[in-house]
Amino acid sequence: MSMTLVIGNKNYSSWSLRPWLVLKAKGLAFEEELLPLFTPEFRARLADITPAGRVPVLLDGAITVWDSLAIIEYLNDRHDAARVWPAETAARAQARCIAAEMHSGFTALRGAMPMNCRKDLRGRVKMTDALKADIDRIAAIWRDTRAEHGAGGPFLFGGFTAADAMFAPVASRFRTYGVELDAAGAEYMDAVLSMPEMKEWYAAAEAEPWVVDEDELPEE
């Protein structure tokens, strides 16, 4: 029996992107079940499968796993092909630290710059001190991690890891809102957005018929 990943709209659901990207990048077989956000279908289906009432949710036989980072950890534990943390102990610890920081932080960025794959929203967001602090911290994470661990490839730890999956929606947001980065940050963002899996996600997001007002910036 193959796994099923229940996700929200690809245009908006940054949390859904993270485990989806791991599954795709690692070549794991899974079915995709997309539930349009904030619809009766969405609420009814999630009420049946998770107490959290949110996407993403991974269904693997009798096992149900919710929360993006928990799903990634489950895949890492369950499938040898999905080992997505660096092999070296110090690098693995750092990868988990920055993944957890992304998971629990950056609330100003999340609020001001909702994920939207279909639009160019450069110049549409006021740069507050809190938003600038979030952007500066992410840029520092990318720059410092690449400098210390990124010699083996274009990603944070050289090859693709869970940390890259956690920051992939941020790369998407930075492109949508035209966030200016230093050379290291711009190169990393391009590497993430150039992944074939990310291009597949973007193509599907572009084709979606739904518009979620809650995740759209007000018209000027």
Side-chain angles (χ1 to χ4, degrees):
M1 179 181 296
S2 66
M3 297 178 287
T4 297
L5 184 69
V6 184
I7 63 174
N9 307 47
K10 289 181 175 175
N11 190 51
Y12 305 107
S13 187
S14 59
W15 292 108
S16 296
L17 169 58
R18 292 175 166 108
W20 184 95
L21 186 58
V22 169
L23 285 160
K24 283 285 185 175
K26 292 297 181 176
L28 295 178
F30 73 103
E31 300 292 329
E32 176 186 308
E33 181 179 350
L34 192 152
L35 302 176
L37 295 167
F38 308 117
T39 61
E41 174 193 357
F42 179 88
R43 290 186 288 269
R45 174 64 172 141
L46 289 183
D48 289 338
I49 59 175
T50 171
R54 297 177 180 177
V55 288
V57 181
L58 183 72
L59 305 175
D60 188 10
I63 299 173
T64 300
V65 188
W66 61 94
D67 181 275
S68 291
L69 193 52
I71 294 170
I72 291 170
E73 289 284 19
Y74 173 79
L75 294 171
N76 183 80
D77 292 343
R78 181 75 173 81
H79 300 278
D80 289 343
R83 297 294 168 85
V84 285
W85 296 110
E88 195 272 322
T89 301
R92 187 166 63 251
Q94 184 169 335
R96 282 194 160 111
C97 285
I98 63 175
E101 185 176 352
M102 180 68 254
H103 188 268
S104 62
F106 305 110
T107 55
L109 175 70
R110 297 182 202 280
M113 295 179 170
M115 183 163 140
N116 194 319
C117 299
R118 293 196 294 247
K119 288 189 175 179
D120 181 341
L121 297 172
R122 286 174 288 185
R124 289 287 308 279
V125 174
K126 180 181 179 181
M127 186 59 67
T128 65
D129 290 344
L131 178 57
K132 184 176 186 304
D134 279 358
I135 291 171
D136 288 349
R137 172 58 185 149
I138 290 168
I141 289 172
W142 291 359
R143 180 179 61 250
D144 296 346
T145 306
R146 287 280 304 141
E148 186 174 0
H149 299 288
F155 299 109
L156 292 174
F157 294 87
F160 177 82
T161 70
D164 301 300
M166 291 302 293
F167 280 99
V170 179
S172 175
R173 284 177 162 101
F174 282 0
R175 183 171 83 169
T176 296
Y177 296 94
V179 174
E180 295 186 3
L181 299 166
D182 58 22
E187 289 175 4
Y188 173 66
M189 182 178 73
D190 287 344
V192 171
L193 295 178
S194 296
M195 294 176 66
E197 298 83 6
M198 287 294 289
K199 291 180 178 180
E200 179 182 344
W201 179 276
Y202 263 78
E206 185 68 33
E208 287 178 349
W210 310 287
V211 175
V212 178
D213 291 337
E214 292 92 334
D215 288 329
E216 292 281 346
L217 292 185
E219 294 294 332
E220 292 182 321

